[in-house]
Amino acid sequence: MPRPKQPGEARKTVLDAAIAVIRAKGYADTTVDDICRAGGVTKGTFFHYFKSKEDMALAAADHWGAMVNAEFANAPYQRQTDPAERVLGYIDYRKSLLTGEPADFTCLLGTMVQEAFDTHPRIRAACERHIREPAAILALDIEAALKQRGIVTGWSPESLALHTQAVLQGAFILAKASQSPQVAIESVDHLRRYLAFVFDSPEQPGQAP
């Protein structure tokens, strides 16, 4: 007989199932029935925790963000004492995740916001918030690396950190289009080379006088 789920465990089961299905099918094509079937729960369980599919998507974005933040906080690159090496280690770590099918490594937030940005403003806002969270953390290391190397720029660490997210999200789209991680891997390699150049070069494009 299956073990009874603990309080809150069924909610997590629904969210984990939703993340898997949405990454594979997209938000619009995912139904409540799909999620219940993937999670092995009833629709009664689903609606016990969530008022609607949109309500579930907002919770899934929060759940995804919390998982990603915890994973990155404990990743090996965090042990680097040099902030530039931590930034490059972050990129290397992101590259190491590009394995399997696109649905296995692409971003829930990017998948949802591409579909829902104009029709579901609450989902758009949740996705933006959680895409910006790792960028804000990365910006701190970028800022520290620039200061350590005495590099003065005409751009902000925050803008470069968001650029990394733009490259990663674009790489995910290309991987979906080609049904292969290879193009994403190559894009991330280019990103790493650019970041290494930024930290090694005293002459910066747009440098402040």
Side-chain angles (χ1 to χ4, degrees), residues 5 12 16 20 23 40 64 88 98 102 114 120 132 134 136 163 188 201:
K5 293 185 182 297
K12 181 179 181 299
D16 288 339
R23 290 169 83 188
W64 174 268
L88 296 177
L98 299 174
Q114 287 171 54
H120 295 76
R132 284 180 177 272
H163 174 66
V188 172
S201 175

Side-chain angles (χ1 to χ4, degrees), residues 91-99 188:
I91 302 303
D92 291 338
Y93 186 71
R94 295 300 300 252
K95 177 182 175 180
S96 75
L97 301 178
L98 299 174
T99 61
V188 172

Side-chain angles (χ1 to χ4, degrees), residues 21 25-37 46 53:
V21 177
K25 297 183 62 174
Y27 176 72
D29 284 343
T30 294
T31 67
V32 172
D33 286 333
D34 291 332
I35 295 168
C36 292
R37 187 161 46 249
F46 180 97
K53 178 182 164 184

Side-chain angles (χ1 to χ4, degrees), residues 72 77-90 134-149 157-158 160-161 199:
F72 291 164
Y77 68 85
Q78 295 287 4
R79 294 193 288 271
Q80 293 284 352
T81 57
D82 185 321
E85 290 302 321
R86 283 199 299 276
V87 174
L88 296 177
Y90 168 77
I137 295 169
L138 186 64
L140 298 176
D141 281 335
I142 293 173
E143 181 178 21
L146 295 174
K147 287 182 178 179
Q148 184 184 72
R149 286 157 172 74
E158 291 78 11
L160 180 54
F199 295 136

Side-chain angles (χ1 to χ4, degrees), residues 57-189:
L58 295 172
D62 290 343
H63 184 50
W64 174 268
M67 289 193 303
V68 168
N69 289 343
E71 180 178 359
F72 291 164
N74 293 292
Y77 68 85
Q78 295 287 4
R79 294 193 288 271
Q80 293 284 352
T81 57
D82 185 321
E85 290 302 321
R86 283 199 299 276
V87 174
L88 296 177
Y90 168 77
I91 302 303
D92 291 338
Y93 186 71
R94 295 300 300 252
K95 177 182 175 180
S96 75
L97 301 178
L98 299 174
T99 61
E101 299 298 319
D104 299 327
F105 60 79
T106 50
C107 178
L108 171 77
L109 306 173
T111 297
M112 289 203 300
V113 79
Q114 287 171 54
E115 296 181 55
F117 73 96
D118 193 42
T119 56
H120 295 76
R122 292 199 303 157
I123 294 177
R124 182 210 59 75
C127 291
E128 180 191 19
R129 182 172 69 254
H130 291 300
I131 288 172
R132 284 180 177 272
E133 282 176 354
I137 295 169
L138 186 64
L140 298 176
D141 281 335
I142 293 173
E143 181 178 21
L146 295 174
K147 287 182 178 179
Q148 184 184 72
R149 286 157 172 74
I151 297 172
V152 178
T153 74
W155 43 264
S156 68
E158 291 78 11
S159 69
L160 180 54
L162 284 174
H163 174 66
T164 68
Q165 302 307 305
V167 172
L168 291 167
Q169 294 295 338
F172 294 150
I173 292 173
L174 291 173
K176 290 176 180 177
S178 63
Q179 285 295 292
S180 168
Q182 187 57 38
V183 65
I185 290 169
E186 292 170 1
S187 294
V188 172
D189 283 341

